[in-house]
Amino acid sequence: MTNSIICNIPDLSYLNIESESEIHYQLSPESLIQQSLELNQAQLNDTGALVVNTGRFTGRSPKDKFIVNDMLTNASVHWNDFNIPIEAKYFDSLYTKITKHLKDKQIWVRDASVCAGQKNKVNVRVINDTPWANLFCFNMFIRPKEEELTDFKPEWTIIQAPSFKADPETDDTRSENFSIINFSKKIILIGGTAYTGEMKKGMFTVLNFTLPFEKKILSMHCSANMGEDGTTALFFGLSGTGKTTLSADPDRKLIGDDEHGWSDENIFNFEGGCYAKCIDLSKEKEPQIFNAIRSGALVENTVFVKDSDEINFASKEITENTRVSYPLDYISNAIEPSIGNNPKNIFFLTCDAYGVLPPISRLSARQAMYHFLSGYTAKIAGTEAGITEPVSTFSTCFGAPFLPLHPVTYAEMLGEKIEKNKVKVWLINTGWTGGAYGTGERIKLTYTRSMIKAVLENKLDNINFYPHPIFKTEIPEACPEVPAILLNPINTWKDKVAYTEKAQSLAAKFIANFVKYQSVGYDDLSKDGPVV
């Protein structure tokens, strides 16, 4: 054991883990950084952050994520392309293999928790086979006080061993890498991939099952912040739409940047840190994230400027999904503990690469449920092989890969909370205007921030709104610090006919996607979507 916070290494025999090598328990970030460097697994950049390459996998692998199909999950999990069943016997076999594999390896053990506050806290024990993965867990999970470790009892366990590879022929996996959640045994097994986000999203998936199913708490893929007056705002959106960027507002207190629960009493963060995208990061555009890249932060899959230790944030040489994890308190105005009041405003963020959605529009409660179930954004040309024009993406509840229950469960809970708390809901397009990607231009971040600021400061309360002719969302006639021409997207297109055709085309995609919800009694809600 090296530089542990406390002396007593937990007894891991209950997990059948009896390492013949060294067990490192609850190491400090400084020790984990030093070990990563000594093992030649990482480098330091010019600001002292640890920079690693996660290898073959630079993102999650949704097709290799499984849930054990047993008496607890068989009838409750919504089995689909993201919730893939695996028999308990294969989990048990892999568990035996992976624990045997770790027997002669150094392992790093960390006790932590998820869910801010005492009422909903879930204790988690993580076992890694690299020190930098354990640093990620230090950053991203909630860090217990030293006295809390004396009688720490984990409710969930994550075993992450990238050095272990499955045999698809005997283990019933799709490939050598896998992530398996066993809700009955409360264990997550991860092997064959070093991408740290699999641990974070594994626990998120767990909470998306246990909180709504067992505690009637809405779990959400969103960021959250709170004003000095105590008013809370939520930001829903898929990766790349601006959740982290827009919630990191120096004039508001950050609750969290990605995962939250909404109980009857409050909003609470699941995590103890932030996991921000780094691509094209700059101090001018995102100063809080940029300044968080310092000693203790873990940067993934970036490259250096030639002949230097300065990170080239513009480079996509390894991946576009470059990331940094850092503790929440690296953001100077973060709330501790990460808890906020019930929200007054909700923002649905979409990066519309077709350039047809308004940069800001107001939604009714029913429209909010429609757009929540739709979860729309668009991929742009060049981000993936074969994509030459914008491609629409619909990820229900803005987080389909992490939702074990049927999406309607989450949508109904959201609708009830919006009505009960009289929450205002807004659709924010952080994508293109004046034309689709390649013709138009990206909506300036300064304008998006001005629109959100206007909402939060109640400056749109006395502004007239009018409905979009196709999407039916309500557009403000004016907004402080935003050019009026920008508010209605048709005004920014030179060819108005082309705009209408493109808008109708996107509307048709919304309608086609929503057909699947008609079979579960949501025929009527489709009336609150766009018309063609």
Side-chain angles (χ1 to χ4, degrees):
M1 185 186 70
T2 308
N3 294 332
S4 296
I5 292 177
I6 61 175
C7 297
N8 297 324
I9 299 175
D11 181 4
L12 302 180
S13 60
Y14 73 101
L15 294 170
N16 291 326
I17 295 178
E18 298 177 0
S19 177
E20 294 180 356
S21 188
E22 197 166 10
I23 297 175
H24 307 279
Y25 178 61
Q26 218 71 6
L27 296 196
S28 66
E30 294 77 13
S31 295
L32 294 170
I33 291 167
Q34 186 61 35
Q35 289 181 343
S36 299
L37 297 172
E38 290 172 354
L39 293 168
N40 295 316
Q41 295 177 353
Q43 296 174 270
L44 291 179
N45 82 324
D46 57 344
T47 64
L50 196 68
V51 181
V52 298
N53 186 320
T54 62
R56 176 186 169 193
F57 294 96
T58 58
R60 293 179 301 99
S61 185
K63 298 294 184 182
D64 297 300
K65 188 193 79 172
F66 304 89
I67 294 175
V68 174
N69 187 354
D70 56 20
M71 290 181 64
L72 177 60
T73 59
N74 181 261
S76 54
V77 168
H78 181 226
W79 304 108
N80 52 32
D81 290 344
F82 300 122
N83 298 319
I84 305 169
I86 191 169
E87 292 182 49
K89 66 179 181 180
Y90 293 112
F91 173 89
D92 293 341
S93 174
L94 275 167
Y95 183 88
T96 299
K97 291 178 182 180
I98 203 169
T99 52
K100 182 178 180 181
H101 169 82
L102 291 173
K103 188 174 182 180
D104 60 353
K105 300 281 190 300
Q106 289 191 76
I107 60 174
W108 284 261
V109 181
R110 180 157 303 280
D111 288 339
S113 65
V114 291
C115 298
Q118 292 297 315
K119 186 173 182 180
N120 299 300
K121 183 174 74 170
V122 178
N123 284 342
V124 181
R125 175 165 289 163
V126 189
I127 296 166
N128 308 107
D129 67 359
T130 62
W132 55 268
N134 205 249
L135 176 63
F136 175 87
C137 297
F138 174 88
N139 288 344
M140 294 308 302
F141 296 133
I142 297 171
R143 295 160 289 281
K145 297 177 181 177
E146 186 170 342
E147 58 267 23
E148 294 178 295
L149 294 171
T150 305
D151 57 353
F152 187 91
K153 293 180 175 58
E155 184 175 346
W156 275 83
T157 300
I158 302 172
I159 300 176
Q160 185 239 20
S163 59
F164 174 83
K165 294 178 173 57
D167 177 0
E169 290 188 7
T170 60
D171 295 323
D172 200 36
T173 56
R174 192 178 69 104
S175 56
E176 293 179 334
N177 62 295
F178 59 89
S179 175
I180 306 176
I181 301 175
N182 190 321
F183 281 100
S184 295
K185 294 188 175 181
K186 298 186 176 182
I187 295 173
I188 300 175
L189 284 185
I190 300 171
T193 171
Y195 180 66
T196 55
E198 293 284 11
M199 292 183 285
K200 163 187 160 67
K201 290 306 184 186
M203 277 311 301
F204 185 42
T205 303
V206 166
L207 295 173
N208 282 329
F209 180 87
T210 58
L211 291 182
F213 190 62
E214 298 174 1
K215 297 187 176 183
K216 307 305 178 187
I217 292 173
L218 176 60
S219 53
M220 306 175 293
H221 187 210
C222 70
S223 58
N225 64 25
M226 189 166 67
E228 293 293 337
D229 59 355
T231 58
T232 298
L234 304 182
F235 301 80
F236 287 86
L238 301 173
S239 178
T241 58
K243 287 198 317 300
T244 299
T245 299
L246 294 171
S247 59
D249 183 339
D251 295 326
R252 294 175 64 83
K253 298 174 183 178
L254 180 67
I255 302 171
D257 81 325
D258 197 34
E259 303 169 2
H260 292 82
W262 188 351
S263 68
D264 290 337
E265 298 85 21
N266 53 37
I267 299 294
F268 58 93
N269 192 355
F270 291 166
E271 304 180 293
C274 299
Y275 194 39
K277 293 195 78 168
C278 291
I279 195 69
D280 293 324
L281 181 66
S282 69
K283 188 171 185 177
E284 293 70 32
K285 289 183 179 180
E286 300 169 278
Q288 290 189 306
I289 299 171
F290 188 89
N291 291 330
I293 299 180
R294 59 183 193 263
S295 181
L298 179 70
V299 183
E300 298 176 356
N301 301 314
T302 58
V303 296
F304 293 119
V305 174
K306 188 176 180 181
D307 298 325
S308 79
D309 54 5
E310 178 187 350
I311 294 174
N312 181 357
F313 290 110
S315 175
K316 303 175 185 176
E317 181 179 328
I318 298 176
T319 178
E320 187 173 353
N321 188 37
T322 52
R323 295 273 182 172
V324 58
S325 68
Y326 49 85
L328 199 61
D329 60 14
Y330 275 32
I331 301 296
S332 59
N333 57 337
I335 296 174
E336 177 63 37
S338 307
I339 297 172
N341 298 320
N342 284 327
K344 295 298 182 184
N345 290 282
I346 291 176
F347 299 95
F348 291 161
L349 309 176
T350 178
C351 178
D352 176 29
Y354 296 101
V356 299
L357 290 180
I360 180 171
S361 53
R362 189 171 60 190
L363 306 179
S364 67
R366 290 176 58 83
Q367 287 176 325
M369 290 183 67
Y370 179 91
H371 282 274
F372 187 62
L373 282 169
S374 297
Y376 165 72
T377 193
K379 296 178 181 178
I380 61 174
T383 57
E384 293 182 12
I387 295 181
T388 57
E389 61 181 33
V391 176
S392 57
T393 299
F394 294 92
S395 184
T396 187
C397 307
F398 299 100
F402 322 119
L403 305 180
L405 305 177
H406 196 285
V408 167
T409 303
Y410 308 96
E412 288 180 341
M413 292 181 74
L414 180 71
E416 291 170 1
K417 288 181 177 294
I418 288 172
E419 294 279 9
K420 180 180 178 181
N421 294 281
K422 296 180 172 57
V423 183
K424 295 178 182 178
V425 186
W426 308 82
L427 183 65
I428 303 291
N429 175 18
T430 62
W432 271 255
T433 188
Y437 173 82
T439 301
E441 60 182 20
R442 191 83 185 257
I443 297 169
K444 291 181 180 178
L445 180 59
T446 52
Y447 290 152
T448 301
R449 284 186 165 140
S450 292
M451 289 180 252
I452 289 173
K453 181 180 179 182
V455 169
L456 297 175
E457 294 181 353
N458 303 313
K459 291 182 178 179
L460 298 186
D461 287 359
N462 297 317
I463 300 292
N464 291 326
F465 286 74
Y466 60 94
H468 188 281
I470 295 173
F471 287 91
K472 298 190 294 188
T473 60
E474 293 189 320
I475 301 172
E477 290 184 347
C479 180
E481 301 179 13
V482 178
I485 192 174
L486 188 70
L487 297 174
N488 190 333
I490 194 170
N491 295 333
T492 67
W493 283 56
K494 293 180 180 179
D495 188 338
K496 313 303 183 189
V497 174
Y499 170 81
T500 301
E501 290 175 349
K502 186 65 74 174
Q504 288 178 336
S505 174
L506 179 58
K509 296 178 190 298
F510 268 85
I511 293 167
N513 172 71
F514 209 78
V515 167
K516 59 178 173 282
Y517 297 113
Q518 295 176 357
S519 62
V520 289
Y522 274 72
D523 308 61
D524 192 47
L525 199 61
S526 61
K527 297 176 184 176
D528 297 277
V531 293
V532 176

